[in-house]
Amino acid sequence: MSFRHYLRRPPAVTAAEAVRLVVDGALVVDVRREFEWNRAHIPGAVHMPLEELPERCLELPDDRLLITFCTGGIRSAGAANLLVENGFEAVNMSRGLVDWRASGGPLTTR
């Protein structure tokens, strides 16, 4: 992943919007590291660490909105830009895990 993916602001949604979009069929792409994922993650999310995203993004569905997610929203911003460049409809969930919890979004450790 290139530094240029962090130079512009990607399309973004709040955590409250993301919760609603997931109910409507959007897919969360969690770009955090393995140990972060193992602590807690969004049920139904796809785990694709940021380091793997450039090589693995074609595994993602191209017929659903993708919501990139990380702890604070910085890594996922670059991930959203990369996905958009690769033809996906993707947005970044700004402020990440903290706002997801505050918005009542579910988490699991399984």
Side-chain angles (χ1 to χ4, degrees):
M1 190 140 144
S2 165
F3 177 71
R4 69 184 169 83
H5 292 111
Y6 296 98
L7 295 178
R8 67 180 188 284
R9 181 170 277 157
V13 295
T14 66
E17 292 169 316
V19 169
R20 180 185 52 78
L21 290 167
V22 167
V23 169
D24 292 342
L27 177 64
V28 173
V29 180
D30 189 327
V31 298
R32 298 175 304 151
R33 292 184 179 96
E34 186 78 25
F35 75 91
E36 294 171 294
W37 167 267
N38 289 336
R39 267 193 241 144
H41 56 271
I42 297 170
V46 169
H47 183 228
M48 195 169 289
L50 185 60
E51 300 80 25
E52 299 174 14
L53 188 63
E55 294 81 31
R56 293 187 52 207
C57 69
L58 294 179
E59 297 173 23
L60 296 169
D62 60 3
D63 60 348
R64 296 170 71 179
L65 174 65
L66 303 177
I67 302 172
T68 57
F69 170 84
C70 68
T71 302
I74 295 172
R75 288 175 285 178
S76 57
N81 281 332
L82 180 128
L83 290 172
V84 168
E85 282 183 10
N86 282 282
F88 293 94
E89 181 184 4
V91 296
N92 176 42
M93 186 175 67
S94 53
R95 301 193 47 166
L97 184 65
V98 172
D99 275 8
W100 178 264
R101 282 184 178 150
S103 296
L107 290 172
T108 185
T109 56
R110 295 179 214 173

